Amino acid sequence: LKITLCDPRPKMASMLRMCMKPAGAAARQAVRTKATAAPTQVGSSELASLLKKAEGPWGQLSVTDKTNLYRGVYKQTRAELMKRPDDTMNIVGLIAVSIVGAYALTEVIHHNVNGPAPDTMKQDWKNAERIKQEGRGQNPVYGYGTPK
């Protein structure tokens, strides 16, 4: 009586992982550079022949056959799916444009909506008000800690 808990034939992805494990740092670097290369396109006739070969023993398949079979079944690897484009410059540019736009909007509002300063904010008015206060005997001290 033979009891098996799992499928005796390993799955294609686990076989590919076993075949493509690098031995050292140089092999890891070679695998990284190969992963960045453009993936090969597998035609439907070639994929059909590879699927026929895959029905036989996996030991007879070469690594390139296994890779092409994987590429035929799965169009992108998990690493390619997880890879995101670098949007750093887009975000920095968007923030810069937003800051410049907010500054321009406040300047437009300040000059067009507020209008000119009222008479009470002009220096002539303030000098006349100071003379009136001195004439009435009000506190002559102006500004923070100014003795006068």
Side-chain angles (χ1 to χ4, degrees):
L1 181 66
K2 184 178 178 183
I3 299 174
T4 57
L5 297 177
C6 62
D7 187 14
R9 274 178 74 192
K11 303 275 186 232
M12 183 171 39
S14 63
M15 281 296 292
L16 284 174
R17 275 195 295 268
M18 287 185 344
C19 293
M20 299 184 111
K21 281 188 180 177
R28 280 193 293 275
Q29 183 62 29
V31 168
R32 279 190 212 117
T33 56
K34 284 181 185 176
T36 58
T40 57
Q41 297 293 328
V42 179
S44 60
S45 61
E46 185 181 350
L47 181 61
S49 68
L50 286 173
L51 286 172
K52 283 272 193 205
K53 281 184 182 179
E55 292 174 1
W58 276 81
Q60 293 178 355
L61 289 175
S62 67
V63 175
T64 56
D65 286 342
K66 292 175 186 176
T67 305
N68 288 338
L69 185 61
Y70 181 82
R71 283 289 182 176
V73 174
Y74 303 104
K75 300 301 179 198
Q76 290 181 319
T77 62
R78 184 174 189 272
E80 291 171 350
L81 289 173
M82 298 295 284
K83 189 176 183 180
R84 285 199 244 165
D86 189 21
D87 290 338
T88 305
M89 292 308 294
N90 290 341
I91 292 171
V92 168
L94 185 63
I95 290 171
V97 167
S98 300
I99 290 172
V100 169
Y103 178 75
L105 185 64
T106 54
E107 286 296 313
V108 166
I109 290 173
H110 178 70
H111 290 296
N112 294 335
V113 176
N114 289 345
D119 290 338
T120 56
M121 298 300 291
K122 294 181 180 172
Q123 194 62 35
D124 294 340
W125 184 283
K126 289 182 180 181
N127 290 339
E129 191 173 282
R130 177 177 275 180
I131 292 169
K132 286 181 190 177
Q133 286 178 348
E134 288 174 355
R136 295 181 188 143
Q138 293 176 338
N139 189 1
V141 178
Y142 294 98
Y144 182 74
T146 308
K148 188 172 181 185

